[in-house]
């Protein structure tokens, strides 16, 4: 029987990487904001152009305050973007006994025997239970090879994708194959997906569906579902 390391491995975004992201985003958006000044002047000089009103207002601000203000606002926007992104990033600790997923305001500890398969789906780390049920789905931007190495070294089954992929079916309203509660949750989620500011509701409804054994896959605005794996 193969032995596994007694120690744990923790994957987390380093302070250096976080700082580099802050600097890159702030610099990029500051540069974009700086370009608004010549763009606004160009628009004002045209006989007709969209957004001429806001452009006139912008160029009415005296220099150097206009350029300084645009650059500062751009840098602040870039910093805010990375800050909110970091709140969703998950650190992953893997040992032979458990997996710990931690992000701001949330810690999930999963015992080894509760984990069936592990894989990366786009920017999400997904853990399935022994019967194919989804037990965790967290945002995770670590390299897939690093994740695979951490899990396989400790005896977890890392796979390239959902091993029950062919069991997903397109959800239609009031699907007879689903219980009433699942249909109600899917209907509420479909409605929430129409709004651009309902991301939290969409995620929470996914978690509610996972609690009753329904796994969701989104393709555009369409929802595909499967129950626990039958393999």
């Amino acid at each position: 029987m193969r032995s596994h390391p007694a120690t744990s491995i923790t994957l987390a975004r380093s302070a250096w990487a976080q700082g580099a992201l802050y600097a890159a985003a702030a610099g990029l958006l500051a540069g974009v904001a700086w370009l608004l000044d010549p763009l606004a002047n160009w628009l004002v000089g045209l006989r007709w152009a969209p957004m001429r009103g806001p452009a006139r207002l912008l160029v009415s601000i005296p220099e150097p305050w206009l350029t300084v203000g645009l650059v500062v606002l751009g840098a602040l926007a870039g910093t805010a973007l990375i800050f909110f992104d970091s709140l969703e990033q998950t650190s992953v600790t893997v040992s032979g006994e458990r997996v710990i997923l931690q992000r701001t305001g949330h810690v999930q500890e999963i015992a080894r025997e509760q984990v069936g398969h592990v894989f990366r789906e786009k920017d999400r780390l997904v853990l399935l239970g022994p019967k194919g049920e989804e037990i965790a789905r967290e945002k995770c931007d670590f390299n897939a090879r690093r994740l695979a190495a951490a899990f396989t070294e400790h005896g977890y089954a890392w796979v390239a994708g959902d091993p029950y992929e062919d069991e997903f079916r397109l959800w239609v309203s009031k699907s007879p194959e689903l219980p009433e509660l699942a249909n109600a949750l899917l209907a509420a989620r479909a409605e929430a997906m129409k709004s651009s500011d309902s991301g939290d509701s969409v995620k929470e409804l996914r978690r509610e569906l996972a609690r009753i054994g329904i796994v969701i896959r989104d393709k555009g605005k369409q929802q595909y579902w499967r129950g626990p794996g039958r393999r």
Side-chain angles (χ1 to χ4, degrees), residues 125-196:
L125 176 66
V126 182
L127 277 69
L128 301 181
K131 296 181 180 179
E133 69 276 24
E134 188 173 282
I135 55 177
R137 172 182 288 269
E138 294 291 343
K139 187 171 184 179
C140 182
D141 62 2
F142 303 122
N143 182 280
R145 289 185 180 180
R146 290 182 64 197
L147 285 167
F151 280 98
T152 55
E153 284 176 17
H154 289 86
Y156 295 85
W158 178 272
V159 290
D162 193 326
Y164 308 100
E165 176 73 30
D166 57 358
E167 295 182 14
F168 281 97
R169 285 161 282 181
L170 177 64
W171 176 73
V172 294
S173 181
K174 299 180 180 179
S175 172
E177 298 174 283
L178 288 167
E180 185 177 346
L181 175 58
N183 273 313
L185 290 170
L186 281 160
R189 192 170 183 272
E191 191 63 30
M193 289 171 71
K194 296 177 183 178
S195 175
S196 60

Side-chain angles (χ1 to χ4, degrees), residues 72-152:
V72 169
L73 286 174
L76 289 174
T79 301
L81 182 67
I82 298 303
F83 172 74
F84 287 112
D85 174 74
S86 68
L87 296 180
E88 289 193 25
Q89 289 298 325
T90 303
S91 67
V92 183
T93 300
V94 185
S95 71
E97 293 76 37
R98 64 185 60 84
V99 177
I100 301 174
L101 305 175
Q102 185 170 0
R103 56 179 163 79
T104 303
H106 173 80
V107 178
Q108 184 177 5
E109 187 169 325
I110 306 165
R112 171 68 184 85
E113 57 270 18
Q114 292 179 289
V115 181
H117 295 91
V118 188
F119 59 94
R120 175 89 171 268
E121 186 177 281
K122 296 182 180 179
D123 64 344
R124 306 285 162 169
L125 176 66
V126 182
L127 277 69
L128 301 181
K131 296 181 180 179
E133 69 276 24
E134 188 173 282
I135 55 177
R137 172 182 288 269
E138 294 291 343
K139 187 171 184 179
C140 182
D141 62 2
F142 303 122
N143 182 280
R145 289 185 180 180
R146 290 182 64 197
L147 285 167
F151 280 98
T152 55

Side-chain angles (χ1 to χ4, degrees), residues 121-122 137 168 186 189 193 202 206 216-225:
E121 186 177 281
K122 296 182 180 179
R137 172 182 288 269
F168 281 97
L186 281 160
R189 192 170 183 272
M193 289 171 71
V202 171
R206 175 192 283 275
I216 300 300
R217 172 74 53 79
D218 294 327
K219 293 183 180 179
K221 296 295 184 180
Q222 292 183 316
Q223 300 180 99
Y224 289 75
W225 68 274

